[in-house]
Structures are given as C-alpha cells and as structure tokens.
C-alpha cells in the first residue's frame, strides 16, 4: 500500500497583510486616495509601522508635511530604530544644523542603509550646494529603489547641476516614465527634458 501524499500547507495571509499589500500596490500605481483608504483600514485594524509608514508617505506626497511628521513620529514610537522614518523625519524637519544632521544620517546609513536615508542625505547636500556629494547620495537612493520617480528626478537634477546633460536627460526621462506617486514638479521636468533635447 502506497504511503499517503503529504498534505500541502497553504499559507493564507491575514487581513492586515492583504490590506498592506493592496495599499502598497495602489500607492505604486499613484492611486493615492485608494492607498490612503487601505492603509487607514490597516492602521485601524492594527497600528503597525508599515501601515503608518504608508500613510506618512502619502501625506508627504500630498505635501501635508505636518501630518507626515506626526505619522513618522508615531512610527518611531513603535520602532525607534526605523531608518525610513528617521530619514524622512530628518528630511521634513529641514537642515537646522547641517553637520549634526549629516553625521546622524551617515550613522543611520552605516547601521541600516536604505534608499530613503540616501535620498535625505542627497537633499542635505543639495541644500548646501554640494552637488558632487548630492549626486553620489541620489545615485545610491536610485540604485536601491529604481522604481521611485522622485529618486530618478533628484538624480537628474544633481547631474544637471554638474553639467552632465546626457545623463541628466536619461534620469529625467526615467522619472517621467513612472506614472506613480511623486513629489517632483512634472511640468518642470518635461520642460527641462525639452531644453536638454534641444542642446543635442
């Protein structure tokens, strides 16, 4: 008599995981209203760092900076070492003391590198006019998340500032090819692409 076939265990995600997956997919498509509804449902079900990070990213994309700061702080109450929240919060709070912020960011990157932290470091350098350093940081952000249109746009701007126009054009076009959520000014990017194309 043959041995019975082993039972196949099926993993069924819980409601929270399903909501977070659907919310992230909506965010990636640029459907911010739908993503916000789903992240809010997930956060109502259970206030996790992932649900709050999603809500904070949406608030940031909608230029609701006060809401974003509040949500990122709430993430840090749940997970004090959350690098994405720390980097985003430093970015939103601005450069009050560049040396302290730069040192803190480098320490966070050393401990847990993330595209968000590199983006924040790039923003710090760009604000100081340190375009070579900004370009390096923006490249690392883009390399870690090549589907993020804002990272592509910021890399393009830094290359543009360094007069590396063919490379800048490439990354402006990558940013514009993404129809998802973004913070950069699309009309400004399109105008710059036309200017750079006319230089060829």
């Amino acid at each position: 008599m043959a041995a019975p076939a082993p039972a196949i265990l099926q993993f069924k995600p819980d409601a929270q995981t399903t909501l977070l997956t659907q919310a992230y997919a909506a965010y990636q498509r640029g459907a911010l209203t739908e993503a916000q509804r789903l992240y809010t449902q997930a956060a109502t079900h259970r206030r996790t760092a992932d649900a709050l990070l999603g809500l904070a990213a949406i608030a940031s994309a909608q230029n609701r900076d006060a809401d974003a700061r509040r949500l990122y702080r709430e993430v840090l109450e749940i997970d004090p070492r959350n690098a994405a929240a720390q980097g985003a919060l430093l970015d939103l709070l601005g450069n009050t003391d560049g040396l302290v912020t730069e040192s803190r960011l480098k320490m966070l990157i050393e401990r847990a590198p993330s595209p968000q932290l590199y983006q924040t470091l790039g923003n710090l350098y760009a604000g100081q006019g340190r375009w070579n350093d900004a370009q390096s940081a923006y490249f690392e952000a883009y390399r870690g998340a090549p589907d993020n249109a804002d990272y592509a746009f910021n890399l393009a701007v830094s290359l543009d500032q360094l007069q590396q126009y063919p490379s800048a054009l490439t990354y402006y076009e990558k940013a514009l090819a993404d129809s998802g959520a973004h913070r950069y000014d699309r009309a400004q990017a399109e105008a710059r692409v036309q200017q750079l194309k006319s230089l060829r």
Side-chain angles (χ1 to χ4, degrees):
M1 183 172 174
I8 297 174
L9 295 176
Q10 298 241 343
F11 171 73
K12 187 170 183 178
D14 65 8
Q16 180 82 356
T17 303
T18 301
L19 283 170
L20 290 172
T21 302
Q22 292 171 344
Y24 184 70
Y27 178 79
Q28 289 294 96
R29 288 193 315 274
L32 296 185
T33 303
E34 179 186 354
Q36 184 171 6
R37 180 182 58 77
L38 291 164
Y39 277 125
T40 300
Q41 264 185 277
T44 301
H45 180 64
R46 191 167 67 239
R47 282 189 98 65
T48 64
D50 287 338
L52 295 170
L53 280 171
L55 288 170
I58 291 166
S60 186
Q62 295 173 334
N63 295 314
R64 294 184 293 112
D65 291 347
D67 289 338
R69 284 192 296 271
R70 178 182 52 75
L71 288 160
Y72 283 126
R73 284 186 179 112
E74 197 172 338
V75 170
L76 292 174
E77 287 173 16
I78 294 168
D79 178 10
R81 295 175 61 99
N82 188 295
Q86 289 178 345
L89 196 54
L90 283 171
D91 208 13
L92 286 167
L93 292 173
N95 181 22
T96 54
D97 187 342
L99 291 176
V100 173
T101 303
E102 181 179 355
S103 173
R104 177 86 176 124
L105 282 168
K106 286 181 174 178
M107 185 182 74
L108 291 170
I109 288 169
E110 188 176 311
R111 187 171 67 204
S114 76
Q116 174 65 50
L117 290 173
Y118 279 113
Q119 167 80 353
T120 302
L121 185 60
N123 290 345
L124 175 70
Y125 290 145
Q128 297 171 348
R130 295 167 57 186
W131 290 107
N132 279 316
D133 293 330
Q135 185 273 324
S136 295
Y138 286 143
F139 178 77
E140 290 302 323
Y142 176 79
R143 190 169 72 145
D147 57 342
N148 186 304
D150 288 317
Y151 296 172
F153 176 78
N154 286 338
L155 178 54
V157 169
S158 65
L159 290 163
D160 208 345
Q161 289 291 324
L162 295 169
Q163 299 179 0
Q164 296 178 22
Y165 301 127
S167 295
L169 178 59
T170 297
Y171 288 101
Y172 281 126
E173 289 176 332
K174 286 180 187 290
L176 290 168
D178 187 329
S179 60
H182 58 81
R183 290 193 73 163
Y184 74 89
D185 184 331
R186 189 171 184 88
Q188 178 189 11
E190 288 170 345
R192 188 59 182 149
V193 162
Q194 293 310 311
Q195 290 169 346
L196 290 173
K197 284 182 174 178
S198 71
L199 295 175
R200 292 196 294 194

